[in-house]
Amino acid sequence: VEAAGRQITAIEMLRDFGNLATLSQELRQTAHLRLSYPFASLADLAALHEPPLSKSAVNHRIRTLLRLASQL
């Protein structure tokens, strides 16, 4: 839950600074799903993607979002 909170905060920062709209469709999809399902596990988020992703792929995207937010 703590990790999801950090992820949501980072995504909201990207959104609030207008950076979310400039990201790839893949990163935006992951960000949108994390915001829509704040308590979902990475495995659950992976299954919600279209097409479904691996847990590792979602983890990589989340790390990218966190890194981008830390650069703001």
Side-chain angles (χ1 to χ4, degrees), residues 42-60:
L42 290 181
D44 292 338
L45 288 176
L48 291 167
H49 279 77
E50 189 56 47
L53 299 177
S54 68
K55 180 180 162 184
S56 176
V58 172
N59 187 42
H60 176 73

Side-chain angles (χ1 to χ4, degrees), residues 52-71:
L53 299 177
S54 68
K55 180 180 162 184
S56 176
V58 172
N59 187 42
H60 176 73
R61 289 183 185 183
I62 293 287
R63 283 195 324 260
T64 300
L65 291 166
L66 290 168
R67 181 179 47 80
L68 292 170
S70 74
Q71 295 172 353

Side-chain angles (χ1 to χ4, degrees), residues 21-34:
T22 66
L23 300 178
S24 69
Q25 178 180 349
E26 291 82 9
L27 287 175
R28 287 193 317 267
Q29 180 185 32
T30 299
H32 173 73
L33 287 170
R34 171 45 81 204

